[in-house]
Amino acid sequence: MLPDRYVLRAALPGIDPTVDLRVTCSGNELRLDAVRAFPPDARGGHSEFSYGRLFRVVPLPVGTRARTISARYVDGILEVSARLGVAEPGTRQFTVPVGDHLSSDPQSGDLGP
């Protein structure tokens, strides 16, 4: 990890991030909303997966630069990252688009598309 970067990882296997996942930022909080639907063909068996709605509100560290927040979902793992520095005044609520790949060089400081 780079000292000027905040990274949050969440294991969310079995969801379609384009339909079942929403990441939003409001002020100094990051909110994750996800839904894992019970597969219709899995009736009558046993599963250790949790199904239904999941949400978490995570406080962001002081100095999080909200405009640099990006999110990626790869192989069941959501990774949200942001640069740290001087806090931006008056950050409003916005949705963070979730991509489907990780930066090829995490040390470069490039958060990717």
Side-chain angles (χ1 to χ4, degrees):
M1 294 297 148
L2 297 172
D4 64 344
R5 173 130 14 223
Y6 173 76
V7 178
L8 169 75
R9 289 187 183 88
L12 298 170
I15 65 167
D16 177 350
T18 60
V19 177
D20 303 325
L21 178 62
R22 184 169 182 202
V23 179
T24 55
C25 178
S26 180
N28 65 345
E29 294 181 334
L30 189 67
R31 181 180 171 116
L32 310 178
D33 287 284
V35 175
R36 183 180 299 132
F38 194 81
D41 60 345
R43 304 269 184 232
H46 177 76
S47 175
E48 292 292 327
F49 285 107
S50 296
Y51 295 97
R53 183 170 179 249
L54 162 93
F55 75 94
R56 296 287 186 273
V57 176
V58 180
L60 293 170
V62 173
T64 299
R65 297 177 58 203
R67 292 186 173 102
T68 69
I69 296 174
S70 67
R72 293 161 191 79
Y73 180 84
V74 178
D75 297 331
I77 304 294
L78 172 67
E79 180 179 283
V80 180
S81 64
R83 292 188 178 137
L84 299 175
V86 177
E88 299 163 338
T91 304
R92 66 190 193 302
Q93 181 172 339
F94 62 94
T95 299
V96 179
V98 179
D100 61 359
H101 66 281
L102 297 173
S103 172
S104 58
D105 182 9
Q107 298 299 319
S108 72
D110 178 18
L111 294 175

